[in-house]
Amino acid sequence: YIAIGTDEGIVNVWDMKQKKNLLTDKIHSNQPIKALHFSSDGKAFTAISSTGIITSWNLQSGSIIETHHINEGKITASASSK
């Protein structure tokens, strides 16, 4: 998979082997995407916007798993794999 987050808050995820778009969605703001992360099993994907919106999607269905909004301070993100 490959993912791109834009300055307009749009997230795109592609399956490069199948050459198809798995997800195109806009996080509920027009603010830049600051971090992108795939789950270790490749079934979920999370994006974080500069306004503190954190959204996770199921990559098989394209549906949102959960959304959180952090209202405090500057957003910094870190991700790790197993």
Side-chain angles (χ1 to χ4, degrees):
Y1 301 124
I2 189 170
I4 296 173
T6 71
D7 285 343
E8 293 80 26
I10 298 171
V11 175
N12 289 287
V13 179
W14 288 275
D15 181 326
M16 298 306 287
K17 287 184 181 178
Q18 295 183 22
K19 297 182 181 179
K20 75 175 196 174
N21 183 288
L22 297 177
L23 173 73
T24 297
D25 205 349
K26 182 173 180 118
I27 293 184
H28 309 286
S29 71
N30 287 322
Q31 300 300 315
I33 300 299
K34 290 294 187 181
L36 305 168
H37 178 72
F38 289 98
S39 63
S40 59
D41 63 6
K43 294 181 180 179
F45 173 76
T46 300
I48 303 171
S49 76
S50 64
T51 57
I53 298 171
I54 303 168
T55 304
S56 296
W57 292 266
N58 176 310
L59 286 176
Q60 293 175 333
S61 68
S63 62
I64 292 176
I65 298 169
E66 60 186 335
T67 298
H68 300 282
H69 190 221
I70 299 171
N71 292 319
E72 299 177 12
K74 185 177 179 180
I75 302 299
T76 304
S78 175
S80 65
S81 302
K82 288 184 178 181

